[in-house]
């Protein structure tokens, strides 16, 4: 779920900034597949509650094979905090609803800091880059406030799509997990069928499902793969799909290609998942609320 998608963002960050190969695993799969880990492996266990049975079993499996385990946990004094070699508390406070929102963003922040620290220790990042990155990270709360200030626009979108029966979420690179998390939130609280794909994989199946009744949410903020995403959007439109795009402020090009745009503050690509998930969380919230559902269940 959410913790796994945070880990998928962490994979991109650590491979890009630290140049160390990273595998992402669902704890429920890891524990049953006799994983190849040893004393030279760091296993990062991510959990909001610190009580997820599969995650605890995976940690015990990893430690039995000699691996070091770092926990990224929200709930203080939970079981997971007592079973790891090192610990990062994300300090998000209690998650009241079933659908994790603030904990996801705090997990991403912790993983970003971890990648920056490892990069500095291993010499793949210089001090100037790290200092600049930390400065931008500190400004992110103000950028998120700007997104929240325009929540009414997202609510109007939700009003138009509250009766949709299916949603497709698309993203690329570091924002493919953002698409996965957006689809998960919509499923969890609005009970609308939603799935997410890496946009480049749309040709392998989902493209056959696109028609005028399918709403397609595309994470298309500034990135190295932006031009390819625009090409994917055109493929959706050629099949009469309705596109909602998340785009960076000042992107006039995107407005020529999509019916609906949510503009977001421009940030460095490594920080974009933290900003980009906010409108997806809000969209799921408003759709569920408009459908008369309890968003905390």
């Amino acid at each position: 779920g959410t913790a796994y998608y945070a880990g998928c963002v962490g994979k991109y960050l650590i491979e890009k900034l630290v140049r160390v190969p990273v595998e992402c695993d669902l704890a429920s799969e890891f524990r049953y597949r006799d994983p190849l880990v040893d004393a030279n492996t760091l296993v990062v266990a991510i959990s909001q509650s610190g009580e997820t049975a599969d995650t605890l079993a995976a940690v015990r499996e990893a430690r039995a094979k000699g691996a070091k385990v770092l926990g990224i946990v929200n709930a203080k004094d939970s079981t997971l905090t007592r079973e790891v070699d090192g610990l990062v508390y994300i300090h998000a406070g209690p998650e009241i609803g079933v659908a994790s929102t603030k904990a996801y963003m705090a997990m991403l922040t912790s993983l970003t800091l971890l990648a920056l620290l490892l990069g500095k220790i291993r010499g793949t990042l210089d001090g100037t880059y790290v200092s600049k990155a930390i400065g931008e990270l500190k400004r992110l709360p103000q950028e998120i406030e700007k997104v929240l200030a325009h929540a009414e626009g997202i609510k109007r979108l939700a009003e138009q799509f509250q009766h949709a029966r299916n949603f497709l979420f698309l993203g690329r690179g570091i924002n493919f997990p953002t698409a996965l998390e957006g689809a998960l939130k919509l499923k969890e609280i609005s009970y609308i069928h939603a799935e997410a794909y890496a946009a480049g994989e749309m040709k392998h199946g989902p493209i056959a499902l696109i028609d005028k009744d399918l709403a397609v949410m595309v994470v298309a903020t500034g990135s190295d793969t932006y031009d390819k995403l625009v090409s994917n959007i055109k493929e959706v439109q050629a099949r009469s799909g309705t596109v909602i795009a998340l785009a960076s402020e000042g992107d006039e090009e995107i407005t020529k290609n999509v019916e609906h745009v949510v503009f977001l503050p421009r940030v460095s690509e490594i920080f974009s998942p933290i900003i980009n998930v906010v409108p997806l969380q809000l969209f799921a919230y408003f759709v569920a609320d408009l459908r008369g559902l309890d968003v905390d269940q």
Side-chain angles (χ1 to χ4, degrees):
T2 292
Y4 171 69
Y5 299 148
C8 293
V9 174
K11 170 185 169 72
Y12 281 97
L13 289 167
I14 293 170
E15 290 192 340
K16 182 178 181 65
L17 300 178
V18 192
R19 309 309 294 160
V20 172
V22 180
E23 253 188 81
C24 263
D25 242 313
L26 296 157
S28 59
E29 288 294 312
F30 182 89
R31 64 180 290 199
Y32 291 116
R33 71 171 179 85
D34 195 15
L36 293 167
V37 299
D38 57 23
N40 293 317
T41 307
L42 175 66
V43 173
V44 183
I46 307 169
S47 175
Q48 190 287 123
S49 68
E51 301 292 350
T52 309
D54 284 324
T55 308
L56 292 169
V59 164
R60 290 162 190 157
E61 173 81 4
R63 294 193 74 190
K65 290 177 179 290
K68 283 279 191 290
V69 180
L70 173 68
I72 295 181
V73 190
N74 189 33
K76 290 189 175 180
D77 302 321
S78 55
T79 305
L80 185 59
T81 66
R82 298 190 293 275
E83 299 211 10
V84 293
D85 300 294
L87 185 62
V88 176
Y89 275 123
I90 64 173
H91 299 291
E95 279 280 22
I96 305 303
V98 169
S100 177
T101 49
K102 61 185 179 175
Y104 179 71
M105 298 171 74
M107 288 168 184
L108 294 186
T109 306
S110 299
L111 287 161
T112 305
L113 289 168
L114 176 65
L116 290 169
L117 176 63
L118 290 173
K120 193 173 179 182
I121 290 168
R122 293 177 71 98
T124 54
L125 302 175
D126 62 40
T128 306
Y129 178 92
V130 174
S131 298
K132 189 176 173 186
I134 296 291
E136 185 174 358
L137 195 56
K138 286 179 176 177
R139 292 192 296 275
L140 281 191
Q142 287 75 43
E143 302 300 340
I144 291 167
E145 288 289 347
K146 291 177 189 174
V147 181
L148 296 174
H150 293 95
E152 276 303 312
I154 298 167
K155 186 175 183 180
R156 286 194 295 273
L157 270 179
E159 287 167 353
Q160 291 184 58
F161 290 95
Q162 62 177 301
H163 300 299
R165 298 189 63 186
N166 297 286
F167 253 90
L168 177 65
F169 286 69
L170 299 174
R172 274 182 180 264
I174 199 169
N175 278 297
F176 170 39
T178 307
L180 289 163
E181 178 64 9
L184 176 63
K185 285 292 155 283
L186 196 62
K187 276 183 282 204
E188 281 185 313
I189 61 172
S190 76
Y191 312 132
I192 293 173
H193 169 252
E195 63 175 314
Y197 261 77
E201 294 300 298
M202 190 172 62
K203 58 188 171 290
H204 299 301
I207 203 161
L209 304 175
I210 295 171
D211 60 19
K212 61 181 175 53
D213 298 318
L214 183 68
V216 183
M217 182 82 77
V218 185
V219 186
T221 49
S223 71
D224 294 340
T225 54
Y226 173 81
D227 290 341
K228 290 187 177 294
L229 268 164
V230 171
S231 174
N232 297 138
I233 287 169
K234 288 176 180 175
E235 288 176 326
V236 172
Q237 290 188 314
R239 289 157 180 81
S240 303
T242 303
V243 178
I244 307 166
L246 303 187
S248 299
E249 284 174 343
D251 183 357
E252 298 303 321
E253 190 64 28
I254 200 89
T255 56
K256 301 173 189 173
N257 295 303
V258 301
E259 294 85 347
H260 307 281
V261 187
V262 176
F263 285 110
L264 300 169
R266 281 188 181 273
V267 297
S268 296
E269 190 175 356
I270 62 167
F271 298 122
S272 60
I274 299 174
I275 290 275
N276 292 350
V277 77
V278 178
L280 301 181
Q281 292 171 342
L282 286 170
F283 182 76
Y285 166 80
F286 286 130
V287 168
D289 197 40
L290 288 162
R291 287 162 72 97
L293 301 166
D294 184 344
V295 296
D296 294 323
Q297 299 298 315

